[in-house]
Structures are given as C-alpha cells and as structure tokens.
Amino acid sequence: MRTLTVDLGERSYPIYIGPDLIKQGLLDRHITDSRALLITNETVGPRYRGQLVTPENVSVTDLVLPDGERYKTLTTCERVYDSLISGRFDRSATIIALGGGVIGDLAGFCAATYQRGINFVQIPTTLLAQVDSSVGGKTGVNHPQGKNMIGAFHQPQAVIADTYLLGTLPERELAAGLAEVVKYGLIRDPEFFSWLERNADKLLAKDADALAHAVAESCRNKAEVVAADEREGGVRALLNLGHTFGHAIETYTNYSTWLHGEAVAVGICMACRVSVELGWLCEADLQRTQRLLAKLGLPQRPPNIPLERFLELMSVDKKSQGGRIRLVLLKGIGDALVTSEFDHGALHRSIETT
C-alpha cells in the first residue's frame, strides 16, 4: 500500500493506494461514530459490498442507487436525505461512498449539505474516480442546463483507492479513466506523459503494476494542486483541461451516451487544436497527444453540435467570468494556462474542424 497526503492543514487526509484495500479494515481509522450510511449503486454494490470490511462497532445502513450519470441529480439526492432523516442520522454520522465518480460526487454533496456537513469517506471503484473525482473535495450534481453546476467543496476523511477493483472494469470504462490520467501529463508532468506513451499497452492490458503507478502519479499530481489551491482560485483550474468542451458534449447528449472521460478526451483534442491555432502549441505536440489518446482507444471528434449551440453550452461553465469563456490551453506538453484572452476565431475554427 502506498499512502499520499492531501495537505490542507487540520483538514489534511490520506489517499491509500494499493490492491485489496477494501478488505483491510481501513475504515476503522476514519469513522468516529457508531453509525454510517453506505451509498453505492446497482452495479457496484452486488460486486463489492460483501468484500468491504467495515468497523465491527459501527452500524452501517446501505442505500443502493441507480447506476448512471443521468441519476446524478437533486432528485436522487432526495433519496439520500430521506434515508438520513428517516434513519435519524445526526451530525456525527459518516457517509461512505462506494462507487465511481457519480456516486462519489453525489454522496459527497449530500454529506456537505446534510445538517450543514457531515463526514464522508471515498472508496472509488473506477479508474476515473480513483485518479480524479475522489480527490480534492469537489462534490456536486448535474442540472439539465449544465454539468456539476450545483455543488460544494467538502473534503473527505480519506480516499481508499483499491487498485484490485480496476481489474474488472469494462474496456470502455478503463479508457475513459485514462483520459483524466493523460490530462495530468499534459498540464504539469511531461515525464509522466512520456511514461504513458511507453506504457499504454500495459495499461490497456490492466497490468497491475502499471495501473498502480498511473493511479499513484495522478493522485500525487492532483494532491499537490489541491494543496496549493483548494477552491480553484488559481492553479487548480488547470485540472479542467478539456472539460469545458467535454461538459458541453455531455450536456448536449443529456448525460446519456458519452462517458465523462470520453467527452474529456475530445475536449483535450479541441483545446490542443485551439492552442495550435493560436500559435502556442506546436503541431508535433498535438500529434503526440492525438496518437496517445487513439492508442488508448479514446474518441477525438465531438458529436455533430451546431457551432452556436456548442458555444452556448460552453458559456454555462463554472470557469466563465463576466460572460466570457475561459479555457485551459497549452503552450507545450506540461505547460498549461487558463485564459479568456484568446482569439475567438481560433475557438470557432477548432470547433468546426476537430
């Protein structure tokens, strides 16, 4: 097991990374009361709930939710609140999130808002959740007009990333998670990007050592960024590379046909293309990025969305300021910036030609 720390002073917490961690009783260290609500979904619950070791002195109530991004809504939150209130859970209770990014985001948001905040622990079961959404305290739900527009910053007590669980991921889910892994190399870690180029085949083959390294390096990068900028006032916004484009795709398709990582992969390509159009990124780096994403089995072209509608959806974005679209763009692999100061003609051309 490898342990990293998200350094936030008194609110610091560990990220445990390694195989078979759900069987090792790590929850004993992070549940301080006698009651917990475990939130999972119809896919993950039957597969892993029986393997999860919970503290003997803690009464754990299970809540099983439907599986899918389209259920990441306030309506689903009502089910969680109903369970908490009818079960008379108080402020000392803990929520355990056992699932992918949807479960983690939704359970974390409910933890942030129930009685103005209770503890929660993240147990991410997908690659995307282990390398990204479970770390950093961003919680939230979707709105028909925009992804993650309703949310709160609420840090977990711990993240337990059991890499053994990745061995059962469908190929499509694995690839979607790798899009977020590639992101870290592009925004701040060129050596990691090169490692991904060399080890793409091992990752796709679910090589245990390769996956563990990818999770650990991704979490290290994110933990460093979050420690420097918890509430996204500056450098943390770089973690949204490709997301403004990707969220527009997800919203346009009603969160039903594209996985988040697939939409982010297309968004990364579009952000790279804008960067090339502006003369900031060289064509060779764009091609390296495209080759890696293609090798990982990720899409690179968006669905057919009219330009004006694409721009409208992009404007409904948490990074927008004063009605202006802000993008994470690249000047090189490992060199990113957030800006609204760019030629919008380059953006329009990139949307139409990617």
Side-chain angles (χ1 to χ4, degrees):
M1 181 177 72
R2 179 173 177 180
T3 304
L4 304 174
T5 300
V6 181
D7 187 1
L8 294 171
E10 294 181 353
R11 292 176 298 106
S12 297
Y13 57 90
I15 308 169
Y16 304 110
I17 303 166
D20 290 325
L21 298 188
I22 64 172
K23 302 176 182 178
Q24 295 185 20
L26 293 170
L27 286 172
D28 286 348
R29 309 177 188 181
H30 301 289
I31 298 180
T32 57
D33 191 57
S34 60
R35 301 195 65 199
L37 178 68
L38 184 143
I39 302 175
T40 187
N41 66 35
E42 297 166 338
T43 301
V44 171
R47 183 173 292 169
Y48 299 126
R49 176 63 181 94
Q51 301 177 44
L52 177 63
V53 174
T54 57
E56 292 183 0
N57 61 340
V58 175
S59 173
V60 180
T61 302
D62 289 7
L63 175 61
V64 181
L65 300 175
D67 186 13
E69 185 82 28
R70 63 186 180 277
Y71 298 109
K72 187 177 160 184
T73 64
L74 287 172
T75 300
T76 306
C77 286
E78 287 286 346
R79 290 188 56 182
V80 179
Y81 298 138
D82 287 347
S83 294
L84 290 164
I85 294 170
S86 64
R88 300 189 178 184
F89 286 83
D90 61 27
R91 286 180 172 174
S92 62
T94 298
I95 286 178
I96 304 167
L98 176 67
V102 171
I103 288 294
D105 283 2
L106 187 144
F109 179 68
C110 291
T113 50
Y114 181 67
Q115 296 194 8
R116 297 187 177 89
I118 63 175
N119 289 343
F120 83 113
V121 176
Q122 290 270 22
I123 307 179
T125 59
T126 66
L127 180 60
L128 190 146
Q130 290 190 8
V131 302
D132 189 64
S133 61
S134 67
V135 178
K138 276 189 177 181
T139 72
V141 295
N142 300 331
H143 186 276
Q145 296 181 52
K147 184 177 172 73
N148 292 334
M149 293 302 291
I150 304 163
F153 287 98
H154 190 58
Q155 301 293 343
Q157 301 301 110
V159 178
I160 302 172
D162 187 335
T163 54
Y164 175 78
L165 308 183
L166 303 179
T168 61
L169 275 183
E171 291 181 3
R172 186 181 175 196
E173 290 277 358
L174 179 71
L178 289 170
E180 294 281 7
V181 176
V182 170
K183 173 191 72 179
Y184 293 110
L186 286 169
I187 64 170
R188 70 190 309 266
D189 196 338
E191 291 184 5
F192 184 41
F193 187 90
S194 297
W195 182 89
L196 291 170
E197 290 178 307
R198 296 191 304 271
N199 290 275
D201 290 337
K202 289 184 178 180
L203 292 168
L204 291 175
K206 299 180 183 176
D207 178 88
D209 290 338
L211 283 173
H213 182 76
V215 172
E217 287 302 292
S218 297
C219 288
R220 177 186 61 78
N221 273 289
K222 185 158 190 181
E224 290 173 359
V225 171
V226 171
D229 177 22
E230 180 182 2
R231 293 182 174 263
E232 204 170 281
V235 68
R236 183 168 179 172
L238 296 177
L239 296 171
N240 291 305
L241 175 67
H243 284 60
T244 301
F245 298 99
H247 288 172
I249 293 169
E250 290 181 89
T251 304
Y252 183 80
T253 55
N254 296 314
Y255 312 108
S256 60
T257 55
W258 286 70
L259 296 178
H260 174 67
E262 294 171 336
V264 166
V266 173
I268 288 173
C269 289
M270 299 180 83
C272 288
R273 175 55 64 189
V274 174
S275 302
V276 170
E277 289 276 350
L278 293 169
W280 296 353
L281 183 70
C282 68
E283 185 72 28
D285 283 347
L286 168 62
Q287 291 177 4
R288 281 183 69 189
T289 302
Q290 290 174 326
R291 282 196 300 270
L292 178 56
L293 292 172
K295 193 171 186 179
L296 295 172
L298 287 160
Q300 299 182 40
R301 296 183 64 83
N304 187 20
I305 305 175
L307 174 62
E308 291 305 317
R309 179 62 175 147
F310 211 130
L311 294 170
E312 178 186 2
L313 291 169
M314 290 178 66
S315 69
V316 185
D317 183 86
K318 298 183 294 300
K319 293 187 301 302
S320 296
Q321 291 184 346
R324 301 191 67 182
I325 295 173
R326 297 172 74 222
L327 294 176
V328 183
L329 300 174
L330 296 175
K331 292 190 173 181
I333 291 176
D335 185 6
L337 75 160
V338 183
T339 182
S340 59
E341 302 297 326
F342 56 86
D343 174 12
H344 281 241
L347 172 60
H348 298 175
R349 291 190 299 273
S350 298
I351 292 174
E352 291 177 326
T353 59
T354 298

